[in-house]
Amino acid sequence: NYLSLVGTVEESCDPYPGDCPNPTCNNPACAYLDRVTEWRIIPNDVTLIKEAVMTHGPVNTAMYAGFSGFSTYDGSYCMAYSGTELVNHAVLIVGWDDAMCGGAGGWIVKNSWGPSWGDNGYFYIEYGSAQIGSYSCVVTGWRDYDADESIYHHDEFGWVSSVGYGDNNDWGMVEFTPDADDELAAVDFWATGGPTNFAIYIYDDFSGGTLSNLLVGPIVNSVDEEGYYSVDLATALALTTGDPIYIAINLETPGYGYPIPYDSDGPMGSNKCFVSNSGSTWEALDAGNYAWGDVGIRARVSPPYTPAPCINDASALYFDPGYLFPSGIVDIFPGQTLGPYELALCIEGSDTVCIHAEDTGDWYQTGDQDECGIYADDCFGTWQVFVEAPLAAVISDYDTVRAIL
């Protein structure tokens, strides 16, 4: 919830000090890097956790850390503990070895106690020991932090609880009043069951308990796991300051009777969040009626895109000879990455400069591609291109790579 609403920062800028919230665990001077757009809950199942690690990366999990030997662990062996105490510690599963722990198999796990503990901060533990695998989850989607992006929401604390009419198929709806002439680009929501089938609708009017003037939808899809999801609109929806919109989602969670997520702990609005069994008759879940909480549906909005002006009044524009992009034939082996190859130029005056890289063999190119900026009165060597040969490449395969400023 925090990383979706606020964003991530470099750990080096905001290191974990322990004993939060004293000292503070938030350094407001850090620059934000990304916002989470997708997060999934993973059942406590060895195979499913392995798949999540392979597909998405490290899996956050919980375990019981109070058994003898854990606090003094030196990293030289695989731990095992068969007790059933409740979990009390959060760690990060980063890998596994089925041959470890005497053939029983075990997890490779990162702790949060620094490199002086365990095996440079990591430990090994047998599958299922100490309740490890409980409350597992993984971040599966994010986007670059955009200071101009706003996330309209009423559920300040995120998904705290779930509600429904008991038939596995219900509706949640929220009202948002734009405070600027922005564009709505995506709808976010919490899925309370796995799988969750959903259909998103955006309306312009809600009067007398009836939604009308459909603006967007239905956007129909499904997700396999409980979690947090962001659904992009095919075309951004223009909003008008002060003109409310109403986002309704039909949520179906087979086998689970409470498909609507809500926040019962944060500040509660009034007549902004509604629930329905049919999508036609609505009841306020917030202080307007039940006073249970705010529905977990959100809207991502940003100012309309305005292209930067193209400036072309430089009196000189040329490649800086101090930087070279290779020409002719360059040897490469399968899987190898060549680069960075740097491009540079000098400008007297100002110009809009763009870089574009292309190839004829569909190999892998990374680096600064299809980027533009306005540069003036200096030499710039800031563009880099990398080329990677596919693992399936064989002798005599080739690719022609071209980079253009």
Side-chain angles (χ1 to χ4, degrees):
N1 182 55
Y2 182 87
L3 299 181
S4 64
L5 289 177
V6 181
T8 66
V9 300
E10 288 283 4
E11 185 178 9
S12 58
C13 181
D14 192 13
Y16 173 61
D19 298 322
C20 288
N22 297 305
T24 180
C25 285
N26 180 34
N27 180 0
C30 298
Y32 291 108
L33 304 176
D34 302 285
R35 274 193 175 122
V36 168
T37 57
E38 189 174 288
W39 164 86
R40 305 184 189 188
I41 292 176
I42 309 299
N44 189 356
D45 178 271
V46 170
T47 299
L48 294 178
I49 294 175
K50 286 179 178 180
E51 290 176 354
V53 172
M54 285 193 298
T55 305
H56 303 295
V59 169
N60 187 75
T61 194
M63 63 173 292
Y64 174 67
F67 62 90
S68 177
F70 186 82
S71 62
T72 57
Y73 178 70
D74 63 4
S76 63
Y77 61 96
C78 175
M79 291 185 284
Y81 180 69
S82 59
T84 59
E85 293 92 335
L86 297 177
V87 299
N88 61 2
H89 189 47
V91 293
L92 199 66
I93 295 175
V94 301
W96 71 88
D97 185 344
D98 289 335
M100 197 163 47
C101 308
W107 298 117
I108 304 169
V109 191
K110 180 183 179 182
N111 201 0
S112 57
W113 294 349
S116 62
W117 179 90
D119 184 1
N120 198 34
Y122 291 77
F123 65 96
Y124 315 100
I125 188 167
E126 186 177 323
Y127 299 141
S129 286
Q131 315 303 319
I132 193 165
S134 303
Y135 303 106
S136 292
C137 59
V138 62
V139 172
T140 55
W142 58 90
R143 65 180 65 179
D144 291 343
Y145 178 81
D146 181 357
D148 294 327
E149 180 184 63
S150 299
I151 303 178
Y152 292 166
H153 66 287
H154 301 295
D155 59 322
E156 292 86 355
F157 285 25
W159 172 27
V160 177
S161 191
S162 308
V163 67
Y165 293 84
D167 60 356
N168 313 327
N169 191 333
D170 299 306
W171 293 70
M173 188 258 287
V174 294
E175 173 192 314
F176 295 124
T177 301
D179 55 15
D181 292 343
D182 287 332
E183 293 182 339
L184 195 163
V187 172
D188 294 12
F189 70 97
W190 304 91
T192 67
T196 292
N197 305 314
F198 65 87
I200 299 172
Y201 303 79
I202 304 176
Y203 291 88
D204 192 34
D205 298 298
F206 180 59
S207 179
T210 301
L211 291 164
S212 60
N213 192 9
L214 181 66
L215 301 174
V216 176
I219 302 173
V220 180
N221 210 330
S222 64
V223 295
D224 293 330
E225 292 95 9
E226 305 164 61
Y228 183 81
Y229 296 90
S230 183
V231 180
D232 291 334
L233 275 58
T235 302
L237 175 65
L239 306 178
T240 302
T241 303
D243 183 11
I245 59 168
Y246 303 87
I247 303 177
I249 305 183
N250 178 209
L251 296 160
E252 180 186 13
T253 49
Y256 182 65
Y258 308 98
I260 304 169
Y262 73 98
D263 167 21
S264 57
D265 292 346
M268 194 181 307
S270 180
N271 290 312
K272 301 294 183 184
C273 298
F274 302 84
V275 294
S276 173
N277 185 220
S278 62
S280 57
T281 303
W282 297 90
E283 303 171 289
L285 189 68
D286 57 19
N289 186 15
Y290 286 114
W292 284 12
D294 294 319
V295 174
I297 298 174
R298 301 172 175 179
R300 289 181 180 266
V301 304
S302 299
Y305 172 70
T306 302
C310 185
I311 299 173
N312 187 23
D313 62 2
S315 58
L317 175 62
Y318 55 88
F319 288 106
D320 184 339
Y323 291 85
L324 294 176
F325 189 82
S327 59
I329 297 175
V330 179
D331 289 332
I332 190 171
F333 57 79
Q336 182 185 10
T337 299
L338 297 180
Y341 296 130
E342 296 187 307
L343 294 90
L345 54 81
C346 296
I347 293 178
E348 296 174 7
S350 59
D351 244 316
T352 297
V353 181
C354 301
I355 183 174
H356 173 68
E358 60 189 25
D359 72 331
T360 60
D362 198 26
W363 287 11
Y364 310 118
Q365 302 171 63
T366 57
D368 304 312
Q369 299 188 47
D370 296 317
E371 297 184 359
C372 296
I374 298 175
Y375 297 87
D377 295 318
D378 205 345
C379 293
F380 303 91
T382 58
W383 298 279
Q384 297 182 337
V385 175
F386 299 80
V387 181
E388 179 184 349
L391 290 173
V394 298
I395 292 175
S396 80
D397 283 352
Y398 68 92
D399 190 18
T400 300
V401 180
R402 185 179 297 109
I404 303 167
L405 271 179

